C-alpha cells in the first residue's frame, strides 16, 4: 500500500499536520482504539464506533456460517443475489462485487421502475440480503416488505430466500427471528460507513461469489502499520486530507487511475462526506471530475499513477481510507462518527407522507421540464435557469445535482439503441442524466457533484446540510408511470420517492441556499431535452 504526496507546498502542509499528530501520539492511540482523540463531546459516540479497527481479525468469526450459507445457496441454484441496503450497507458490497466481476443487484432506491426490474429478474432463483443496522431505514424496510409479498405470491416461503444482516438486539433482528430468516449479526461498535469489512460488506459479497477471505487478509496485512509514526500510509493520507482542507482546498477530486478496483471513489465519497461534513466544516469528495481546476480543489488518484495516488488491494484500501478519515477528523476537530443532520430529511419525508397532498405550481415550463424554485427574474427558459444556477455558486462553493430517477434507465436505453456500438453509445448518452454533471462541470471552475436520490442522502446528504453552507442545489424528479405498493404501508414507492425528494429540498431551503427542482413530465424526453439544453449553454 502506498500513499505518495508530490505536490510541493501540499506535501509540506501535510508534513506539518503529520508532525503535530505524531507529537500528540495519535497514530498509536488510534490503532489502540482511544475514544478521546476527537474531544470530550465526541468521546461517547467514538467509544462505540471504533470496532472497524479490528474487523480484519474479528470478522473471520463469520466465515464458517457464511461458507455454509454460500454452499446451500449454490446447491439450490439461487444465482440472483439482491442486496437491499442503503449507504454503508450497499456501497462496499457494490465495489467488492464490481471489482471481482461477480453479479450483484443493489437496491438502494425507491424508484418504482428500478425495483420492478429487480423483481422481474429470476425471482425463482433470487436470494435477498436485507441489510440494516436497525431495520428502520424506510427504503430497506420497503424492499423487505415488497420481496416478502412477491415471494409469497409466487408460492415461495420468504424464510427460504431472505437473509438478514443487522446489529444485535435491533428491531430487525427481532422481526427476522419471528419470520424465521437466517440472521448474521454485525459488530454493533461499527458505524454503517465504516462497515465494509463487517458482515454488511462480507455477507452479500460472498453470496455473489466474491473472495471475502482475501479482503480480510489484505486488510490484516496493512493493519500493523497503522500504529506507526513512520511508514504509516493511513497517517500520511489522513494528514494530507486534513492539511488540504485546513488550507481551504476542501473539494477532494477522486479519480480512478489504471486501478484494478472498480468504483472505489463512490464508496470513499460516502465515507468522507458523511464523516467530515458537519459543524460548518468538511471535505467534499467529487467523483467523475477529470481534474482539479478550482483554487479550493485537490486530486487523489486511485491506482499506481498520479501526483498524489493511493495504490493497493481493495481490502487494504477499505481499512486505509477509514483510518485516514478518522485522522482527518482529528485534524479538522470534528467527530467523524456521528451524522447529526441526516435525520432532517427523514423527518421531513415522514411529515410529507402524513400530510394532505399539496399542489405546487412551476415557475416556468420548458417542454417536458417543469421548473420549481425561486429562480432569477430574467429566467425565461431552461437554458436561463441552468445559467443562473451556475452563476449562483459562490467563490468557494459547489453545485450538487441530485436525481431522484432510475439510475439504470440509461443502460436500458442503450440496449434499445441496437447492436451497433455507435448507436448504443448515442442512446446511452441521450438517456443518462448523470452526464449532466460533466456538461455543467465543463462550464464552471467550481466543483460539481452528482448523486442519485435517495442513495446520496446516506452519503453527501450529511455534507450538504452540515458542511460549509456554500452549496447550490439542482434537484431532478420525474413523473412515475408505474408504482409498487409497499405492503403494510399507506403509500407506494412513487409517493415515497417524491416525498423524499421534497423532504430533502425543504431541509436545504431552510438553510437559505439556492435550490431548483426540475420535474420531468416525461422522463426520457425530459432527460434528452435537459442534456440538449446543457450542451448548448
Amino acid at each position: 500500500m502506498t500513499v505518495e504526496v508530490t505536490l510541493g507546498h501540499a506535501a509540506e502542509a501535510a508534513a506539518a499536520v503529520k508532525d503535530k499528530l505524531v507529537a500528540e501520539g495519535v497514530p498509536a492511540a488510534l490503532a489502540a482504539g482511544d475514544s478521546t482523540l476527537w474531544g470530550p463531546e465526541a468521546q461517547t459516540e467514538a467509544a462505540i464506533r471504533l470496532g472497524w479497527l479490528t474487523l480484519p481479525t474479528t470478522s473471520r468469526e463469520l466465515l464458517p456460517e457464511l461458507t455454509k450459507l454460500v454452499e446451500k445457496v449454490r446447491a439450490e441454484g439461487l444465482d440472483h443475489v439482491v442486496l437491499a441496503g442503503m449507504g454503508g450497507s450497499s456501497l462496499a458490497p457494490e465495489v467488492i462485487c464490481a471489482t471481482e466481476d461477480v453479479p450483484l443487484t443493489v437496491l438502494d432506491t425507491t424508484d418504482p421502475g428500478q425495483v420492478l426490474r429487480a423483481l422481474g429478474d429470476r425471482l425463482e432463483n433470487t436470494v435477498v440480503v436485507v441489510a440494516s443496522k436497525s431495520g428502520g431505514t424506510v427504503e430497506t424496510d420497503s424492499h423487505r416488505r415488497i420481496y416478502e409479498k412477491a415471494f409469497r405470491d409466487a408460492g415461495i416461503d420468504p424464510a427460504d430466500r431472505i437473509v438478514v444482516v443487522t446489529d444485535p438486539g435491533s428491531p430487525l433482528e427481532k422481526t427476522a427471528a419471528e419470520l424465521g430468516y437466517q440472521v448474521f449479526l454485525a459488530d454493533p461498535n461499527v458505524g454503517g460507513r465504516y462497515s465494509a469489512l463487517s458482515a454488511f460488506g462480507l455477507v452479500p459479497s460472498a453470496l455473489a461469489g466474491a473472495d471475502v477471505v482475501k479482503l480480510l487478509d489484505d486488510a490484516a496485512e496493512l493493519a500493523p502499520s497503522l500504529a506507526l509514526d513512520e511508514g504509516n500510509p493511513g497517517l500520511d493520507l489522513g494528514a494530507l486530507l486534513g492539511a488540504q482542507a485546513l488550507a481551504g482546498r476542501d473539494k477532494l477530486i477522486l479519480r480512478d487511475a489504471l486501478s484494478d478496483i472498480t468504483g472505489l471513489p463512490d464508496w470513499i465519497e460516502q465515507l468522507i462526506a458523511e464523516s467530515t461534513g458537519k459543524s460548518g466544516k468538511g471535505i467534499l469528495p467529487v467523483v467523475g471530475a477529470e481534474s482539479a481546476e478550482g483554487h479550493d480543489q485537490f486530486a487523489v488518484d486511485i491506482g499506481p499513477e498520479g501526483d498524489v495516488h493511493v495504490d493497493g488491494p481493495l481490502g487494504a484500501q477499505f481499512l486505509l481510507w477509514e483510518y485516514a478519515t478518522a485522522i482527518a477528523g482529528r485534524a479538522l476537530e470534528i467527530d467523524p462518527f456521528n451524522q447529526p443532520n441526516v435525520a432532517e430529511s427523514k423527518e421531513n419525508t415522514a411529515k410529507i407522507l402524513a400530510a394532505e397532498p399539496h399542489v405546487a405550481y412551476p415557475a416556468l415550463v420548458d417542454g417536458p421540464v417543469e421548473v420549481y424554485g425561486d429562480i432569477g427574474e430574467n429566467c425565461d427558459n431552461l437554458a436561463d435557469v441552468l445559467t443562473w444556477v451556475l452563476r449562483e455558486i459562490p467563490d468557494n462553493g459547489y453545485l450538487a445535482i441530485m436525481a431522484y430517477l432510475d439510475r439504470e434507465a440509461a443502460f436500458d436505453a442503450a440496449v434499445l439503441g441496437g447492436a451497433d456500438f455507435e448507436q448504443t453509445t448515442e442512446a446511452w448518452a441521450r438517456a443518462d442524466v448523470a452526464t449532466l454533471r460533466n456538461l455543467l462541470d465543463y462550464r464552471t471552475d467550481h466543483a460539481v457533484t452528482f448523486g442519485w436520490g435517495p442513495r446520496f442522502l446516506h452519503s453527501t446528504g450529511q455534507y450538504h446540510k452540515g458542511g460549509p453552507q456554500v452549496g447550490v442545489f439542482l434537484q431532478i424528479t420525474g413523473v412515475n408511470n408505474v408504482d409498487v405498493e409497499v405492503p403494510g404501508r399507506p403509500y407506494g414507492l412513487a409517493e415515497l420517492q417524491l416525498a423524499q425528494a421534497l423532504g430533502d429540498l425543504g431541509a436545504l431551503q431552510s438553510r437559505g441556499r439556492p435550490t431548483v427542482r426540475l420535474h420531468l413530465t416525461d422522463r426520457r424526453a425530459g432527460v434528452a431535452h435537459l442534456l440538449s439544453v446543457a450542451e448548448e449553454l
Side-chain angles (χ1 to χ4, degrees):
M1 175 66 65
T2 61
V3 176
E4 295 184 2
V5 182
T6 56
L7 291 181
H9 294 303
E12 293 178 11
V17 171
K18 177 182 174 180
D19 289 346
K20 183 175 185 293
L21 292 166
V22 168
E24 295 168 345
V26 171
L30 175 54
D34 185 346
S35 62
T36 67
L37 290 173
W38 300 274
E41 292 185 4
Q43 184 174 355
T44 301
E45 181 79 17
I48 56 171
R49 287 293 177 261
L50 290 170
W52 52 272
L53 286 161
T54 58
L55 286 178
T57 299
T58 58
S59 283
R60 295 177 192 274
E61 300 171 2
L62 299 167
L63 296 180
E65 184 181 2
L66 183 53
T67 299
K68 291 179 183 178
L69 175 63
V70 171
E71 292 173 350
K72 175 177 179 290
V73 166
R74 295 288 181 273
E76 295 175 356
L78 304 180
D79 57 2
H80 181 216
V81 182
V82 175
L83 170 59
M86 300 298 297
S89 299
S90 62
L91 287 166
E94 187 172 69
V95 175
I96 294 167
C97 293
T99 297
E100 296 208 21
D101 196 24
V102 294
L104 176 69
T105 296
V106 175
L107 281 186
D108 54 1
T109 181
T110 46
D111 187 82
Q114 196 170 331
V115 173
L116 281 172
R117 187 181 302 107
L119 284 169
D121 184 7
R122 299 165 288 157
L123 184 67
E124 67 280 4
N125 296 336
T126 294
V127 58
V128 178
V129 179
V130 177
S132 173
K133 286 181 68 64
S134 69
T137 305
V138 66
E139 301 94 340
T140 305
D141 177 70
S142 298
H143 298 150
R144 175 181 65 82
R145 293 168 179 270
I146 289 167
Y147 263 97
E148 286 172 345
K149 182 178 186 300
F151 284 136
R152 292 191 185 104
D153 289 348
I156 299 171
D157 185 352
D160 295 332
R161 300 299 186 87
I162 293 179
V163 177
V164 166
V165 181
T166 190
D167 279 0
S170 72
L172 180 56
E173 183 193 11
K174 179 180 179 181
T175 298
E178 293 172 351
L179 296 174
Y181 300 158
Q182 182 164 0
V183 177
F184 285 85
L185 294 178
D187 186 337
N189 294 319
V190 177
R193 56 189 177 273
Y194 290 81
S195 65
L197 297 173
S198 76
F200 286 104
L202 302 185
V203 172
S205 301
L207 284 172
D211 185 352
V212 298
V213 175
K214 185 178 186 304
L215 284 172
L216 296 176
D217 288 346
D218 289 337
E221 187 174 344
L222 170 72
S225 70
L226 301 182
L228 304 177
D229 293 342
E230 294 296 334
N232 181 340
L235 175 61
D236 293 339
L237 179 58
L240 169 70
L241 298 176
Q244 293 292 316
L246 291 171
R249 291 179 288 275
D250 57 358
K251 315 300 189 302
L252 168 61
I253 311 300
L254 291 167
R255 304 183 298 198
D256 280 315
L258 302 177
S259 172
D260 293 332
I261 300 172
T262 301
L264 187 60
D266 288 324
W267 177 82
I268 297 172
E269 176 186 50
Q270 183 247 356
L271 172 69
I272 292 180
E274 197 168 42
S275 296
T276 69
K278 58 199 69 169
S279 303
K281 305 176 183 179
I283 300 168
L284 177 65
V286 181
V287 178
E290 294 183 0
S291 61
E293 298 177 349
H295 64 87
D296 56 351
Q297 303 173 24
F298 74 104
V300 173
D301 292 296
I302 308 299
E305 297 185 0
D307 290 330
V308 180
H309 67 264
V310 182
D311 190 29
L314 181 56
Q317 291 263 19
F318 282 143
L319 184 59
L320 173 91
W321 283 94
E322 289 165 351
Y323 182 98
T325 299
I327 289 288
R330 164 81 179 202
L332 295 175
E333 299 182 341
I334 52 92
D335 178 356
F337 306 112
N338 68 351
Q339 48 281 332
N341 305 107
V342 167
E344 291 181 45
S345 295
K346 296 179 182 179
E347 293 167 357
N348 287 352
T349 296
K351 291 177 183 177
I352 292 171
L353 288 172
E356 292 293 326
H358 172 70
V359 178
Y361 297 95
L364 66 87
V365 177
D366 189 328
V369 180
E370 297 177 342
V371 180
Y372 296 84
D374 296 326
I375 56 177
E377 295 180 358
N378 297 321
C379 290
D380 298 322
N381 52 48
L382 185 56
D384 291 342
V385 172
L386 295 179
T387 299
W388 177 81
V389 164
L390 292 172
R391 288 175 178 169
E392 285 294 301
I393 306 173
D395 182 54
N396 60 337
Y398 64 95
L399 170 63
I401 305 170
M402 309 164 295
Y404 286 80
L405 300 170
D406 181 346
R407 69 184 175 108
E408 297 174 351
F411 173 78
D412 289 347
V415 172
L416 293 172
D420 180 83
F421 176 78
E422 291 186 0
Q423 289 181 337
T424 302
T425 302
E426 289 178 6
W428 178 83
R430 289 196 304 272
D432 186 13
V433 71
T435 61
L436 182 63
R437 198 215 72 82
N438 293 336
L439 293 174
L440 296 185
D441 183 56
Y442 179 73
R443 288 156 179 81
T444 178
D445 290 336
H446 299 296
V448 180
T449 66
F450 182 93
W452 293 102
R455 172 185 173 115
F456 79 87
L457 293 178
H458 302 261
S459 175
T460 52
Q462 166 62 41
Y463 183 97
H464 293 166
K465 293 177 277 290
Q469 292 304 298
V470 293
V472 175
F473 301 95
L474 181 63
Q475 186 185 85
I476 305 171
T477 58
V479 66
N480 275 298
N481 296 319
V482 296
D483 201 359
V484 179
E485 170 195 357
V486 180
R489 294 290 184 258
Y491 51 77
L493 290 183
E495 184 180 356
L496 174 59
Q497 183 184 43
L498 183 59
Q500 289 180 308
L502 297 180
D504 190 50
L505 201 66
L508 297 172
Q509 290 171 337
S510 70
R511 287 162 169 77
R513 299 307 306 154
T515 57
V516 173
R517 179 167 72 98
L518 306 180
H519 185 69
L520 313 181
T521 54
D522 179 305
R523 288 195 177 198
R524 185 161 295 181
V527 169
H529 182 59
L530 175 58
L531 297 182
S532 176
V533 170
E535 287 175 348
E536 298 299 324
L537 288 180

